[in-house]
Amino acid sequence: MMRPRIARVSPGTFAPRQGRCLLCVRQQRRFASTQKPSTPAAEPPDHRKLGVQQGLFTTSPYSPGSPIFLPAGARIFNRLVDFLRKQYVRYGFQEVITPTIYKKALWAKSGHLENYGDDMYSVTGYTKKHETCAHGQEGEDEGEYGLKPMNCPGHCIIFASQHHSYRDLPVRYADFSPLHRNENSGSLSGLTRVRRFHQDDGHIFCRPIQVEEEIRKTLDFVKVVYTALRLGVEYRLALSTRPKDHFIGTVEEWDRAEDALRRALDKSGMPWSVNEGDGAFYGPKIDIVLKDSDGKEHQTATVQLDFQLPKRFELEYQAPAPEHEARGEVTEDVEKLTVYGPVRPVMVHRAVLGSVERLMAILIESYNGKWPFWLNPKQAIILTVTTSPAVLEWARQAKDVLVGNDGATYQALEAGKLPSEEHPLRPTGLAVDVDDTARPLGTKIREAKSAGYGLVLVVGEKDVQDKIVSLGKERLSASALRDRMINMVETFQ
């Protein structure tokens, strides 16, 4: 049988059947092998998808616009609120708890019914007509109530319930109670546009001379919180001025308030812009605006100056030289200083987180689901190498140490005794789980990392003997590991 003819081709010559230079072919193949296939651009993080994947929240058609936080989401929510509460010590706020509904007469007095009524929910009180109580008095028809869309009228009621001297001011109230706003159903979206939400709502009642200092402190408060949240200074400040329509008070009062905010913004050292006509109906405001992963802007923190609600609720405090005090002036006239009289306080509305739900949406997308340890709803998990009784028992004991679950303390309390000095009640608030399933350790480690646990801890037979926990190559006592984890939380790692 004859051998087939093989065409030998030298570099630079042409293959007779393919008609192409083999050197060029080889170079093209070599070039093609070095090129990476093009990949489509990754979609920006979506808090609605991540929220489902991480089991943070869900929704229900029975309550549209009212997110339902699942255990992991509730942990994050509560940590944000607890973090704010701890800062209130430094910034002088006292927390109060106020009603969810008020009679509509209150909303008429505050101006909300006229200027905000379409965005409020109505609640009808019920009392049977001509019904008499046990004391023989005829029942009163309770009429209509309104679910509160904001806390300011309630805080005015609190301030008015007590007598105040100029020495008492500023008085600062904070409130985390839920708010309700009747948003259009078509605008509802995840956690960013909701009907029921929580706001770290605060109101400062101060002397006119204290206004700029209180605004400065509030902007400093914002910087502290946003630094801890790793948002840095990636936000902008905007001054929102008097609306064209639907505002209360005089133009002169608005001009005075806007000038005070402008001076505070200039002193902040941060760039700021003006949103003409975007103020609240009762006063101008400074809005802190963040961008989400889609580039869409969200107003989060806010500082609002209000001369109107103190007037409507007839709020006052006693001060010497009241005429000078009302203008924010200082006088050294001894005769005038001997005369005391009522002065209207200035009210500063402030929220640092803003809507906690909206801020959570921004954080979910900003972190892309990879939470810093202090906010992580899955801070640590203990994996067992074997399922021997000794290993399982040590895993349980190690978890108790990490979370501060002292059995002796609870035994005393359950027996009606107070804890001893040796066993005080000190829950750490750390989130620690245990995986004691009978599966390969490598599989459990991969699953734990995929699930987003901050620390993956391992215990085996030798760890039981030495009473330690393994963290990578480190071997630590449970108490030392607890102290390290608490330090990570306190330093916002």
Side-chain angles (χ1 to χ4, degrees):
M1 187 174 68
M2 293 180 62
R3 289 185 177 182
R5 291 184 63 187
I6 300 176
R8 299 185 182 277
V9 184
S10 300
T13 62
F14 288 87
R17 294 189 180 182
Q18 293 152 344
R20 290 195 298 170
C21 170
L22 282 186
L23 183 59
C24 294
V25 171
R26 289 171 184 160
Q27 288 175 340
Q28 288 173 355
R29 288 175 179 169
R30 197 179 301 119
F31 176 78
S33 67
T34 62
Q35 301 304 299
K36 295 182 180 178
S38 60
T39 55
E43 290 186 6
D46 186 334
H47 79 276
R48 293 165 297 186
K49 293 180 181 179
L50 289 168
V52 172
Q53 292 170 7
Q54 296 194 330
L56 303 181
F57 67 92
T58 187
T59 58
S60 169
Y62 292 108
S63 188
S66 299
I68 301 170
F69 284 107
L70 304 177
R75 282 177 180 172
I76 298 171
F77 180 98
N78 288 331
R79 285 186 184 137
L80 289 170
V81 171
D82 288 344
F83 169 56
L84 258 291
R85 283 195 171 110
K86 291 176 181 177
Q87 311 318 308
Y88 287 165
V89 176
R90 174 176 176 82
Y91 293 100
F93 283 88
Q94 304 173 81
E95 190 171 348
V96 296
I97 300 173
T98 51
T100 302
I101 61 174
Y102 293 95
K103 287 188 175 182
K104 282 199 171 178
L106 176 74
W107 303 114
K109 183 174 184 176
S110 67
H112 287 85
L113 199 59
E114 177 185 354
N115 295 277
Y116 206 80
D118 292 341
D119 297 314
M120 292 178 61
Y121 283 100
S122 293
V123 179
T124 303
Y126 176 72
T127 301
K128 289 182 179 179
K129 291 184 178 180
H130 308 299
E131 180 181 350
T132 56
C133 68
H135 302 287
Q137 296 180 338
E138 187 173 308
E140 178 185 352
D141 186 3
E142 294 190 353
E144 283 193 304
Y145 287 72
L147 275 175
K148 67 178 178 183
M150 47 196 74
N151 287 304
C152 29
H155 292 183
C156 286
I157 291 174
I158 295 175
F159 186 89
S161 69
Q162 300 170 321
H163 294 287
H164 299 278
S165 162
Y166 73 100
R167 295 187 181 90
D168 303 326
L169 272 57
V171 173
R172 308 179 185 94
Y173 298 133
D175 202 327
F176 285 104
S177 54
L179 305 175
H180 293 80
R181 296 180 185 176
N182 189 15
E183 300 283 356
N184 186 291
S185 60
S187 67
L188 301 177
S189 177
L191 298 178
T192 57
R193 195 76 176 197
V194 295
R195 287 174 171 166
R196 179 183 187 270
F197 64 98
H198 299 76
Q199 186 167 277
D200 63 309
D201 214 357
H203 294 94
I204 304 167
F205 299 89
C206 63
R207 301 166 61 190
I209 201 172
Q210 297 170 330
V211 168
E212 291 183 37
E213 177 66 10
E214 288 303 307
I215 295 171
R216 184 194 64 78
K217 287 181 180 178
T218 302
L219 292 176
D220 287 345
F221 193 175
V222 171
K223 290 177 183 177
V224 167
V225 172
Y226 283 22
T227 299
L229 293 174
R230 305 187 184 189
L231 296 172
V233 292
E234 295 178 2
Y235 57 87
R236 66 180 182 87
L237 304 179
L239 171 62
S240 297
T241 59
R242 184 182 74 251
K244 185 176 181 181
D245 303 307
H246 298 294
F247 67 89
I248 56 179
T250 66
V251 173
E252 290 74 16
E253 289 171 327
W254 275 82
D255 289 343
R256 184 155 51 100
E258 289 173 9
D259 287 343
L261 291 182
R262 282 190 173 91
R263 288 192 297 270
L265 284 167
D266 287 337
K267 291 178 181 178
S268 73
M270 296 184 65
W272 57 278
S273 59
V274 178
N275 289 341
E276 292 289 351
D278 202 34
F281 70 87
Y282 47 77
K285 59 180 180 172
I286 299 171
D287 287 332
I288 287 80
V289 183
L290 292 176
K291 279 187 179 180
D292 65 16
S293 58
D294 287 331
K296 186 178 180 181
E297 292 191 326
H298 299 278
Q299 181 258 309
T300 52
T302 187
V303 188
Q304 304 174 5
L305 201 54
D306 186 352
F307 293 100
Q308 308 307 322
L309 286 186
K311 187 186 300 183
R312 288 188 167 229
F313 282 88
E314 300 177 345
L315 305 182
E316 60 183 36
Y317 64 95
Q318 295 292 318
E323 291 184 1
H324 289 274
E325 175 75 14
R327 294 193 296 268
E329 299 172 352
V330 177
T331 179
E332 296 181 358
D333 188 317
V334 176
E335 186 176 346
K336 290 182 178 180
L337 289 173
T338 59
V339 178
Y340 276 66
V343 181
R344 197 80 68 202
V346 179
M347 187 176 183
V348 179
H349 307 245
R350 76 102 189 99
V352 177
L353 297 180
S355 162
V356 181
E357 286 81 353
R358 181 182 297 171
L359 185 72
M360 279 186 64
I362 294 172
L363 293 178
I364 291 169
E365 296 180 357
S366 176
Y367 300 145
N368 196 11
K370 298 177 179 64
W371 295 95
F373 182 82
W374 76 280
L375 283 176
N376 196 338
K378 298 178 179 180
Q379 289 175 322
I381 187 169
I382 300 173
L383 309 180
T384 56
V385 178
T386 69
T387 56
S388 71
V391 170
L392 298 183
E393 175 61 20
W394 172 233
R396 185 192 65 79
Q397 291 178 12
K399 176 183 176 179
D400 285 345
V401 172
L402 295 179
V403 300
N405 181 15
D406 190 326
T409 302
Y410 281 100
Q411 286 176 5
L413 288 169
E414 289 163 2
K417 300 177 182 178
L418 293 177
S420 64
E421 292 184 2
E422 293 77 18
H423 295 279
L425 184 62
R426 287 179 180 168
T428 64
L430 297 170
V432 182
D433 295 322
V434 175
D435 183 351
D436 56 7
T437 56
R439 297 183 298 149
L441 180 61
T443 299
K444 295 199 284 188
I445 290 175
R446 285 192 298 272
E447 287 185 1
K449 291 181 177 179
S450 177
Y453 281 96
L455 300 179
V456 178
L457 314 173
V458 177
V459 295
E461 297 290 349
K462 190 174 182 182
D463 298 320
V464 175
Q465 298 172 9
D466 299 335
K467 293 298 179 185
I468 60 171
V469 178
S470 296
L471 172 60
K473 295 182 179 180
E474 290 187 89
R475 305 181 78 205
L476 305 164
S477 68
S479 59
L481 182 58
R482 176 200 60 206
D483 294 344
R484 177 185 293 190
M485 293 168 67
I486 291 173
N487 183 260
M488 291 172 69
V489 170
E490 292 175 344
T491 53
F492 311 112
Q493 296 183 39

